[in-house]
């Protein structure tokens, strides 16, 4: 009888195992893309272990993915267009970019990040080594964009005026050479536009006399360090990300691969905040609607669980630190109604 029960139990376990195998869905390829809010080589290097971690996590959810490809878009819009066309399955999109493409893509997760040591709307509290921001706050689901005066001659004039407690006029800002990102970037375009509209009678970035559009924030910091522009815009912890590269010789690179910018003083002393935007809802993980193999409730739930599980591991936290993401929370489209309203106003 004991032998019979043992054999019966073994047979039952085999049936259960075969049933589990039968329920596993096999996928040949999954394509992921990040927007170039950081230098492309920094993102690729930082996320090189993500495919293996994500494959294992998806297998736990019943999906056996043979190949996971990671790339960086040439622009925010390029990633949005690729997802709309179905050539990219999963994309890490800022809220503004998601709002622009939300007819063709769907949000599945919102990033959480560490709050900064400063969340003031007073620009003078952000400047100088004594006011260096630290990423030591409680997890938050929003961030701010800052308007920075560069160490150019005119940038220093603007910074001095703000740090002395004087309000900048529209004429002050209109004399400056600005560098911004494309118009779907939340921190690089949309919210700086809203800041102008709020403080200068509805005027926008498009009303300024001298504005150039850059591909990413790395270009913005390089332009600032070269004193080629007077004002740049970036997310609030941007100086943290470029602090080391700012003072390295130009022929060297920091440990993340960012090229040195050759400055002598610290980025906190040389790149002064002159404006602070309202809070911006955090980045999304979004999914294409054009590929039914991934755009279905079962796979979406699996991907949500897999990414949440990955980022909750030490290695996963290290990977997503490239975007300052500390966790992921399940999201829905209505979370970004505010981003859509901001995009409409800014454009």
């Amino acid at each position: 009888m004991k032998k019979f029960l043992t054999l019966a139990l073994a047979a039952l376990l085999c049936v259960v195992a075969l049933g589990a195998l039968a329920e596993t869905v096999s996928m040949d390829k999954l394509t992921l893309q990040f927007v170039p809010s950081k230098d492309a080589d920094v993102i690729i290097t930082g996320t090189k272990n993500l495919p293996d971690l994500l494959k294992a996590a998806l297998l736990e959810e019943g999906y056996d993915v043979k190949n996971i490809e990671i790339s960086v878009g040439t622009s925010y819009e390029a990633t949005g267009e690729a997802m709309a066309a179905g050539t990219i399955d999963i994309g890490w999109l800022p809220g503004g970019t998601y709002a622009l493409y939300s007819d063709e893509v769907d949000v599945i997760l919102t990033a959480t990040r560490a709050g900064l040591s400063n969340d003031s709307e007073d620009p003078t509290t952000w400047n100088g080594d004594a006011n260096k921001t630290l990423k030591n706050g409680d997890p938050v689901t929003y961030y701010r964009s800052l308007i920075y005066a560069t160490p150019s001659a005119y940038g220093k004039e603007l910074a001095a005026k703000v740090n002395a407690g004087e309000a900048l006029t529209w004429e002050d800002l209109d004399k400056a050479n600005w560098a911004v990102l494309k118009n779907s970037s939340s921190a690089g375009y949309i919210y700086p536009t809203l800041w102008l509209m709020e403080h200068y009678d509805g005027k926008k970035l498009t009303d300024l006399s001298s504005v150039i559009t850059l591909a990413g924030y790395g270009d913005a910091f390089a332009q600032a360090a070269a004193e080629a522009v007077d004002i740049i815009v970036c997310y609030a912890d941007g100086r943290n990300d470029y602090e080391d590269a700012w003072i390295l010789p130009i022929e060297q690179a920091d440990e993340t691969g960012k090229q040195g910018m050759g400055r002598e003083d610290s980025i906190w002393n040389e790149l002064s905040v002159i404006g602070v935007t309202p809070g911006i809802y955090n980045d999304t993980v979004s999914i294409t609607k054009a590929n039914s193999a991934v755009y279905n409730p079962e796979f979406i739930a699996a991907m949500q669980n897999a990414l949440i599980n990955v980022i909750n591991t030490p290695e996963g936290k290290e990977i997503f630190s490239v975007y300052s993401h500390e966790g992921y929370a399940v999201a829905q489209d209505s979370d970004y109604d505010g981003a859509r309203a901001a995009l409409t106003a800014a454009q």
Side-chain angles (χ1 to χ4, degrees):
M1 178 63 71
K2 186 182 293 185
K3 185 176 181 180
F4 174 78
L5 289 175
T6 301
L7 289 172
L9 180 60
L12 179 60
L13 290 173
C14 286
V15 170
V16 171
L18 288 171
L21 287 173
E23 292 175 3
T24 299
V25 178
S26 181
M27 297 177 64
D28 289 334
K29 184 172 70 172
L30 187 66
T31 54
L32 316 180
Q33 190 164 101
F34 294 90
V35 297
S37 56
K38 305 286 177 69
D39 297 336
D41 54 349
V42 172
I43 296 172
I44 292 298
T45 299
T47 59
K48 65 182 179 181
N49 294 330
L50 179 57
D52 288 341
L53 289 176
L54 190 53
K55 282 181 187 178
L58 283 169
L59 189 59
E60 291 288 326
E61 299 296 324
Y63 286 85
D64 183 11
V65 184
K66 306 302 181 186
N67 185 30
I68 295 180
E69 296 180 358
I70 293 180
S71 59
V72 179
T74 55
S75 68
Y76 292 23
E77 291 80 4
T79 299
E81 292 291 344
M83 293 185 69
T87 55
I88 295 296
D89 298 316
I90 304 292
W92 276 255
L93 301 177
T97 310
Y98 172 72
L100 186 62
Y101 291 96
S102 57
D103 287 340
E104 294 87 12
V105 306
D106 204 0
V107 62
I108 61 173
L109 294 169
T110 292
T112 61
R113 63 177 71 206
L116 299 179
S117 55
N118 188 0
D119 194 40
S120 170
E121 294 188 8
D122 177 0
T124 64
T125 67
W126 294 81
N127 297 329
D129 280 330
N131 292 319
K132 174 180 175 179
T133 52
L134 303 174
K135 299 181 181 182
N136 61 358
D138 294 331
V140 292
T141 56
Y142 72 95
Y143 63 105
R144 297 183 187 274
S145 175
L146 302 180
I147 294 87
Y148 301 90
T150 77
S152 70
Y154 189 59
K156 288 178 180 176
E157 289 184 32
L158 295 174
K161 193 170 183 178
V162 168
N163 287 328
E166 298 180 46
L168 296 176
T169 66
W170 173 257
E171 290 69 26
D172 290 331
L173 297 177
D174 194 43
K175 290 178 186 176
N177 295 312
W178 288 64
V180 302
L181 271 60
K182 292 188 177 181
N183 64 2
S184 69
S185 170
S186 297
Y189 189 94
I190 296 171
Y191 280 78
T193 294
L194 293 178
W195 178 80
L196 287 175
M197 292 173 67
E198 179 183 348
H199 291 87
Y200 299 97
D201 297 324
K203 293 187 182 296
K204 304 179 180 182
L205 286 172
T206 51
D207 294 312
L208 292 164
S209 297
S210 179
V211 182
I212 61 172
T213 302
L214 305 175
Y217 293 114
D219 292 339
F221 282 94
Q223 291 277 336
E227 301 180 20
V229 294
D230 306 311
I231 294 175
I232 66 169
V233 295
C234 182
Y235 52 89
D237 49 336
R239 289 179 297 180
N240 298 78
D241 291 342
Y242 289 88
E243 179 180 14
D244 293 338
W246 185 260
I247 56 174
L248 281 176
I250 57 175
E251 66 273 11
Q252 295 183 22
D254 71 9
E255 61 180 12
T256 67
K258 298 185 187 74
Q259 200 64 35
M261 300 180 190
R263 301 300 301 184
E264 294 184 358
D265 200 357
S266 80
I267 198 169
W268 307 98
N269 289 333
E270 291 209 285
L271 205 57
S272 292
V273 176
I274 59 174
V276 182
T277 77
I280 306 167
Y281 211 74
N282 271 353
D283 296 345
T284 76
V285 180
S286 295
I287 192 166
T288 179
K289 293 181 180 179
N291 182 358
S292 60
V294 298
Y295 191 58
N296 59 74
E298 295 76 20
F299 182 78
I300 288 173
M303 178 58 73
Q304 288 170 329
N305 291 338
L307 283 172
I308 289 171
N309 289 337
V310 166
I311 202 170
N312 283 334
T313 67
E315 191 173 6
K317 286 191 184 300
E318 179 65 24
I319 287 170
F320 290 110
S321 68
V322 71
Y323 273 134
S324 300
H325 294 176
E326 294 207 335
Y328 288 118
V330 173
Q332 55 189 359
D333 178 71
S334 60
D335 292 337
Y336 289 86
D337 286 345
R340 267 187 287 272
L343 180 65
T344 299
Q347 294 184 337

